[in-house]
Structure formats: C-alpha cells, structure tokens
C-alpha cells in the first residue's frame, strides 16, 4: 500500500516571532554584528524545524559555536524593537518556541530596546533566559543615534635646542669642524645631528613632550681630525624639546551598548566611526603643542567620540629645518649649494639657512633621506659586540655579513633606509654564493639553492629591484628551472626592454626550453648579432 508523506507545514508567524519590519531588521542587524567574530557562525531569520518535524519557528538570530573544538552549541536570539517594555507574555512565548525546537532555554537570549517588566525578568531568570537591553537607537527606533566624532592624529617630533662638543682643542680651524665626522680616508660620513636623529628613530629619546637632555656616542670608524691628527671628543651632548603637531579630522559615530537587564553589567559595546575623506589639495590646519598638559587639555575637550593616534615622526628639527632632508628639498637645495660654494666649509650659517629654509617650509610629512653632507643618512645602531656602528659605512666597505648579523634589529626599529641595506646585503650574499657554486667541483646545486634563498630574502624586502630580479633569473637558469627563469626575464624586460644582455639571456633560456621558433624571432629582433654571439661564448654554437 502506497503512503503519501505529508508536506512540512510552516507555522504562521505569531507575536512571538519577528514581524520583519524595518525596526526589527535594524535591531537584528546591529545585534548580529556585535556578536560576529572569528569561529562563530551567525544566521538571521532562520526557519528552525520543530522537534516533531511538522512545523518551523522563526529565530531572529541563530548563533552557532564550538566548545573546545568538539561540541557544537546553538544560541537563539529574540529581538524586539518595540516602544514599550517587554512583558511576561513575550518571555513565555519565547520559552515555548525554544522548547518546540529543542534548544534549551539557557541558550536563549532576549534583546529589547526598552527593557522588561519585573515579572518578565523574574520568569526569564527562572528559566535561564538572558535578557539584554540595547542602547544607541534614535527616538524613532528606525536608525542609530548619530553623534559627532573627531580623529586626532598626533605627530611627535624633537627640536634641537643646543649641541655641545667637549674636547681638548681650544680653537677650531674652521666652522663646523667638530660638527662633522669623517672616515679613515677623511671622507665625510655624518654629523652630530645624524647621531641625534638615529637616537630618535631607534626609540632612545622619550616621547614625553617637553625638555630632554641626551648624550651621544660616536660610531666605530667615525673620526674627527685637527691639523691632520685624529682626535677624540670627550663628550657630545644635546638639549632637545619634544613637540607635538596635531591634525584633526571630523566624522560621525554610531555607538551601541548591550547590557544585562538583570545585573546592569555591560555585555557588548560597539562604536562605528566614519571620518570625512580628505579631498585632493585640501589644506588641514596643524596645531602645535609644547607640553603634555596642553595636549591633554586639547584632546579631553574634544567631541563625545574621539580617536587619538600618536605617531613618532621619522624627522627632527634642526635650526628650524626638518631633518633629514627629503628628496624634494635635496633636489632644490644641493644644486644651489654647489653653485654658491665649492667647499662646504666655506658656507656660512646665514647662507645655509636662507637656501634651506625656502625649500623646506612645508616639508614635515615627506620622507627624510639626506643629511647635511648630501649623503643618505646613516643607519646607526649597536652591534652584537656592543659597538655603535654605521651600517651605511659597512655597506660602502662591502661588509654585507655585518648587516645581515643585525637583521633582527630591523624588526625592532624598521626604516626604509635599513630595509634597503638589508636587501642589498642579501643580494650580495646571493652573488657570493653563486660565484662559489660556479667554481665548486662538488655540491654546486646546494650552493645555488642557498644563493636562491638569499636573493628571495632580498626581493621580499625590495620586490622591484631589477638587479635582484636578474640574479633570481640567473639562479633559476642554473637550477634548470627554465620556465620560471623565462617568466622572471619577461618581467624584467617589461621594465627594461633595451637591456641587450637580458634579451640575449632570454634567447638562451628559450633554446634550453627548445622553443626554437620563438628564439629565432628574438634573434632577428636583436640589433647587433655579434653581441649575442659574444654573450653565449666562443664555444657555443648558435644557428642564426
């Protein structure tokens, strides 16, 4: 005898279920967002089957989570965005719905915007229902309350007030003699201001606004000379003032609070802030502060909702100029300096100030790169032996191992200058290893693999370095990974299409892959076939 299965009957929504109005949707959306986090699955307006399988009950929000990664637990939310308080009847209906679908009442949460009656709270507590109240909706309950907000971007920068150098020389031979340092070959390496700058970016100067006194050590291989003889300063010190520059951006905030109706304790808190985007060319006034008290009063007197971000600017102020000089300032001042004086030591303070001040008035947020000597400002830090060293000088001397030995310090105080030095050091190590591999009679492949690892480290730091990409292509070729080598070569040639050596190397790679026709087309495009033959070597036979 054939039987006919009765279709599941979906129960008509009653007062215990969501009316799906805009007010109801808004409340559900806000509550769901407040509970959304990693490892939690949230669904809204779920038609949950009853235990007998004959009907469903609509659950406003269903939250599913795992306990200890094993047991799955479901929480059912009832959300009511009603003008009046929730009475005992609504609680009873919710308890009935939970029983009907088999979710224990201790996993039920009832959310109201206007609270609950005493009887409702009593019944909810008895049955284990959590009762929550949401604050943050407008009077109409159709949208969130909007309040004004402000974002304070606080930029900290030290200003040099005074520099002192003590030695046993009574009279300098020329201005700035004991301000500048040189290497063993008497080439300028840096200045006292460079030492102060590095102390700032390395976090060795307090961020507290106000006056500070500091002392400087001289890096190893930095020297000063008097009448051709090396001298050593007895003490180098400076007086600084740490200043704050505030930039404010206006916005709007939506704040929502869920608190327990029984205990009045905070359950969830969420603030969503939107700040006005800056328009191109928009000028934002900067406010300067010289003390913590001034800054605190300014921040505390702001709007109800505020976001304060403090940033240590990678610049200092020396003689009312932002230092190190940005690329923009360097492009403007150094050509003028070269035209005005042939010897840096002949330049007066007045001349220097006039030239630099005109170029750097609004330069505070540009990246600082160059020192007073026109050199890239040095990265100065303490090495593993406790010596203060200049990494730029180490790079000039080819000591890439010294730089690599300090790579962990990069993560403590990262900077673009340090990153470039590390990238260079990894590339140099790769070149050294590949050179050893080419000469080795055994373990060639292992050396090439180590060389490849080093060049990948370089590219992780400076992904657009053409020289590192070339090294990568050569190593892929040496390792027999010709398809990857070809892709790398094509990437480089897209940026440097006139590189004849790489074009030739690409043809060699195509021949290895036996792409004869493409290789021949490449040969036809080469302007000077003799250079192609030279690249492959005298013993290599090429069909042209």
């Amino acid at each position: 005898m054939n039987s006919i299965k009765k279709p599941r009957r979906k129960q008509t929504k009653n007062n215990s279920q969501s009316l799906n109005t805009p007010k109801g949707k808004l409340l559900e959306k806000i509550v769901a967002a407040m509970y959304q986090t990693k490892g939690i699955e949230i669904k809204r307006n779920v038609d949950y089957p009853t235990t007998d399988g004959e009907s469903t009950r609509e659950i406003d929000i269903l939250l599913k989570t795992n306990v200890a990664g094993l047991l799955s637990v479901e929480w059912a939310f009832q959300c009511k965005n009603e003008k009046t308080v929730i009475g005992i009847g609504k609680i009873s209906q919710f308890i009935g719905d939970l029983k009907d679908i088999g979710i224990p009442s201790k996993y039920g949460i009832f959310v109201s915007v206007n609270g609950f009656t005493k009887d409702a709270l009593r019944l909810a507590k008895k049955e284990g229902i959590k009762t929550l109240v949401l604050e943050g909706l407008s009077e109409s309950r159709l949208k969130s309350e909007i309040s004004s907000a402000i974002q304070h971007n606080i930029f900290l920068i030290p200003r040099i007030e005074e520099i002192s150098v003590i030695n046993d020389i009574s009279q300098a031979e020329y201005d700035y003699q004991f301000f500048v340092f040189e290497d063993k070959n008497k080439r300028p390496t840096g200045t006292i201001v460079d030492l102060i700058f590095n102390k700032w970016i390395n976090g060795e100067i307090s961020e507290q606004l106000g006056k500070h006194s500091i002392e400087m050590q001289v890096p190893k291989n930095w020297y000063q000379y008097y009448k051709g003889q090396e001298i050593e300063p007895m003490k180098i010190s400076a007086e600084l003032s740490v200043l704050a520059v505030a930039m404010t951006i206006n916005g709007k905030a939506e704040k929502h609070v869920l608190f327990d109706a029984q205990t009045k304790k905070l359950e969830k808190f969420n603030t969503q802030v939107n700040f006005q985007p800056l328009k191109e060319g928009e000028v934002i006034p900067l406010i300067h502060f010289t003390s913590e008290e001034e800054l605190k009063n300014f921040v505390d007197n702001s709007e109800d909702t505020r976001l304060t971000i403090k940033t240590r600017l990678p610049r200092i102020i020396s003689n009312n100029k932002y230092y190190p000089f940005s690329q923009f300032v360097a492009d403007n001042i150094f050509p003028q300096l070269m035209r005005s004086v042939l010897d840096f030591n002949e330049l007066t303070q007045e001349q220097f100030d006039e030239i630099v001040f005109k170029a750097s008035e609004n330069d505070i947020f540009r990246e600082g790169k160059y020192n007073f000597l026109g050199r890239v400002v040095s990265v100065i830090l303490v090495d593993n032996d406790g010596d203060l060293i200049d990494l730029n000088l180490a790079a000039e001397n080819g000591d890439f191992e010294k730089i690599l030995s300090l790579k962990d310090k990069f993560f403590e105080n990262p900077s673009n200058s340090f990153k470039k030095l590390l990238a260079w050091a990894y590339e140099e190590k790769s070149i050294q290893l590949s050179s050893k591999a080419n000469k080795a009679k055994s373990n060639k492949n292992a050396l090439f693999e180590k060389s490849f690892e080093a060049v990948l480290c370089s590219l992780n730091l400076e992904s657009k370095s053409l020289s590192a990409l070339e090294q990568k292509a050569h190593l892929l070729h040496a390792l027999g990974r010709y398809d990857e080598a070809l892709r790398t070569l094509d990437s480089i040639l897209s940026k440097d299409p006139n590189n004849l050596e790489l074009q030739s190397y690409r043809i060699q790679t195509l021949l290895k892959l036996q792409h004869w026709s493409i290789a021949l087309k490449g040969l036809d495009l080469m302007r000077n076939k003799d250079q192609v033959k030279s690249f492959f070597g005298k013993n290599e036979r090429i069909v042209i």
Side-chain angles (χ1 to χ4, degrees):
M1 184 175 181
N2 294 330
S3 62
I4 301 175
K5 188 175 181 179
K6 293 173 65 178
R8 177 180 289 178
R9 177 174 54 87
K10 184 175 179 179
Q11 178 164 314
T12 304
K13 295 173 187 171
N14 55 35
N15 290 335
S16 69
Q17 296 164 320
S18 171
L19 298 177
N20 212 26
T21 63
K23 291 179 181 179
K25 287 183 178 179
L26 174 64
L27 180 58
E28 292 165 11
K29 179 181 177 181
I30 292 170
V31 173
M34 293 176 82
Y35 280 89
Q36 186 67 68
T37 189
K38 186 177 179 181
I40 289 179
E41 179 186 349
I42 291 182
K43 294 181 180 179
R44 291 170 53 197
N45 306 125
V46 177
D47 290 323
Y48 204 106
T50 54
T51 54
D52 60 10
E54 296 295 317
S55 185
T56 62
R57 295 285 183 269
E58 184 179 338
I59 301 300
D60 291 340
I61 299 172
L62 185 69
L63 185 153
K64 188 181 293 187
T65 186
N66 291 324
V67 178
L70 300 172
L71 179 64
S72 179
V73 176
E74 291 180 327
W75 296 77
F77 287 70
Q78 180 81 57
C79 300
K80 289 295 182 184
N81 187 355
E82 296 184 357
K83 189 175 182 179
T84 58
V85 293
I86 299 300
I88 192 172
K90 298 283 176 64
I91 299 295
S92 296
Q93 289 169 355
F94 184 43
I95 293 168
D97 286 345
L98 292 175
K99 184 177 180 181
D100 217 11
I101 60 177
I103 291 181
S105 57
K106 66 178 180 179
Y107 295 127
I109 299 174
F110 203 119
V111 182
S112 165
V113 297
N114 275 306
F116 302 84
T117 64
K118 289 183 179 180
D119 286 341
L121 290 175
R122 179 182 52 77
L123 178 59
K125 184 177 182 179
K126 178 182 176 183
E127 297 294 330
I129 300 286
K130 180 177 282 190
T131 47
L132 302 177
V133 178
L134 180 90
E135 291 184 346
L137 296 185
S138 65
E139 194 172 343
S140 67
R141 310 188 322 284
L142 284 168
K143 59 184 180 181
S144 299
E145 280 186 348
I146 305 293
S147 61
S148 57
I150 196 164
Q151 177 180 318
H152 294 303
N153 295 283
I154 311 296
F155 301 99
L156 305 174
I157 185 168
R159 182 176 64 205
I160 300 173
E161 304 291 354
E162 183 182 329
I163 292 175
S164 172
V165 181
I166 299 175
N167 55 34
D168 56 6
I169 307 300
S170 59
Q171 181 66 46
E173 296 173 277
Y174 49 82
D175 289 342
Y176 307 114
Q177 181 173 8
F178 304 123
F179 175 83
V180 178
F181 296 88
E182 299 172 333
D183 64 11
K184 276 288 187 186
N185 299 314
K186 297 188 177 179
R187 296 174 302 182
T189 56
T191 69
I192 292 175
V193 179
D194 295 334
L195 301 180
I196 297 171
F197 170 71
N198 270 277
K199 270 188 167 290
W200 172 248
I201 63 171
N202 290 339
E204 297 173 41
I205 298 174
S206 171
E207 293 184 354
Q208 187 81 14
L209 268 60
K211 304 285 186 181
H212 300 275
S213 299
I214 61 169
E215 291 188 15
M216 275 79 65
Q217 290 180 291
V218 180
K220 195 174 181 181
N221 299 326
W222 276 31
Y223 306 98
Q224 288 185 335
Y225 296 91
Y226 179 73
K227 294 183 178 181
Q229 299 297 312
E230 181 184 328
I231 63 167
E232 186 174 338
M234 290 181 274
K235 181 179 178 181
I236 302 174
S237 60
E239 298 294 324
L240 309 174
S241 293
V242 176
L243 312 174
V245 180
M247 179 175 67
T248 59
I249 303 173
N250 294 320
K252 300 293 183 184
E254 296 180 15
K255 293 188 291 187
H256 300 108
V257 177
L258 268 177
F259 65 87
D260 192 306
Q262 300 273 5
T263 64
K264 307 302 181 185
K265 290 183 179 179
L266 180 70
E267 173 77 11
K268 292 283 182 180
F269 178 86
N270 182 46
T271 301
Q272 185 174 358
V273 184
N274 293 307
F275 292 104
Q276 299 171 3
L278 298 179
K279 299 175 183 176
E280 187 175 351
E282 183 179 356
V283 177
I284 297 179
L286 300 177
I287 306 172
H288 297 78
F289 300 94
T290 58
S291 72
E292 289 289 339
E293 185 179 0
E294 287 179 358
L295 181 60
K296 184 178 184 301
N297 289 337
F298 171 75
V299 172
D300 289 348
N301 290 330
S302 300
E303 305 293 337
D304 292 340
T305 302
R306 62 178 180 266
L307 173 65
T308 303
I309 303 170
K310 272 192 177 182
T311 305
R312 184 188 283 254
L313 277 177
R315 307 291 291 280
I316 63 177
I317 300 172
S318 175
N319 289 329
N320 297 318
K321 294 170 287 293
Y322 299 116
Y323 187 87
F325 301 131
S326 67
Q327 186 71 57
F328 174 81
V329 171
D331 290 344
N332 279 274
I333 67 170
F334 289 126
Q336 293 184 59
L337 294 176
M338 293 301 293
R339 286 195 298 269
S340 57
V341 288
L342 295 176
D343 186 345
F344 180 81
N345 296 324
E346 294 178 6
L347 183 65
T348 66
Q349 183 72 50
E350 290 74 18
Q351 287 174 316
F352 185 80
D353 286 347
E354 183 180 358
I355 292 170
V356 177
F357 185 75
K358 289 179 180 178
S360 60
E361 274 187 285
N362 300 307
D363 195 52
I364 188 170
F365 294 116
R366 292 193 181 102
E367 179 189 0
K369 295 180 68 175
Y370 300 100
N371 67 11
F372 289 116
L373 307 172
R375 290 165 52 91
V376 173
V377 68
S378 295
V379 175
I380 301 170
L381 45 79
V382 178
D383 69 6
N384 297 324
D385 297 322
D387 294 322
L388 192 68
I389 63 164
D390 177 351
L391 293 191
N392 295 58
L393 204 56
E396 288 177 16
N397 295 328
D399 192 356
F400 65 85
E401 293 287 3
K402 170 62 77 174
I403 295 172
L404 291 178
S405 71
L406 300 170
K407 62 182 181 293
D408 290 341
K409 293 182 181 289
F410 170 73
F411 301 103
E412 296 172 11
N413 294 291
S415 69
N416 284 334
S417 299
F418 200 166
K419 183 174 72 171
K420 290 181 186 296
L421 288 171
L422 269 180
W424 169 84
Y426 274 117
E427 187 179 343
E428 288 297 306
K429 181 179 181 180
S430 175
I431 292 169
Q432 185 193 71
L433 287 167
S434 60
S435 178
K436 285 183 180 178
N438 285 325
K439 297 173 184 176
K441 294 181 180 179
S442 61
N443 296 323
K444 291 175 76 76
N445 207 60
L447 285 169
F448 277 130
E449 288 286 0
K450 288 182 179 179
S451 177
F452 186 67
E453 289 175 10
V455 81
L456 288 183
C457 289
S458 178
L459 287 167
N460 283 337
L461 293 161
E462 290 285 308
S463 61
K464 296 180 180 179
S465 169
L466 292 182
S467 59
L469 285 168
E470 284 186 38
Q471 173 71 357
K472 178 185 175 183
H474 284 287
L475 288 167
L476 287 168
H477 195 278
L479 291 166
R481 295 158 63 175
Y482 302 119
D483 283 320
E484 294 174 70
L486 184 61
R487 287 195 295 271
T488 304
L489 286 167
D490 286 342
S491 172
I492 304 169
L493 288 167
S494 68
K495 302 176 183 68
D496 187 15
N498 297 321
N499 190 319
L500 184 62
E501 183 180 346
L502 287 183
Q503 290 283 8
S504 305
Y505 205 73
R506 183 178 186 274
I507 292 167
Q508 188 181 20
T509 306
L510 287 165
L511 292 173
K512 289 286 187 181
L513 289 166
Q514 299 183 5
H515 296 337
W516 314 117
S517 60
I518 302 174
L520 286 171
K521 285 179 183 178
L523 286 168
D524 289 338
L525 292 173
M526 300 292 287
R527 296 178 183 175
N528 190 332
K529 293 182 175 63
D530 289 334
Q531 284 182 280
V532 179
K533 294 176 184 177
S534 173
F535 177 75
F536 284 114
K538 294 178 181 179
N539 299 322
E540 191 85 34
R541 296 187 62 188
I542 306 170
V543 179
I544 300 179

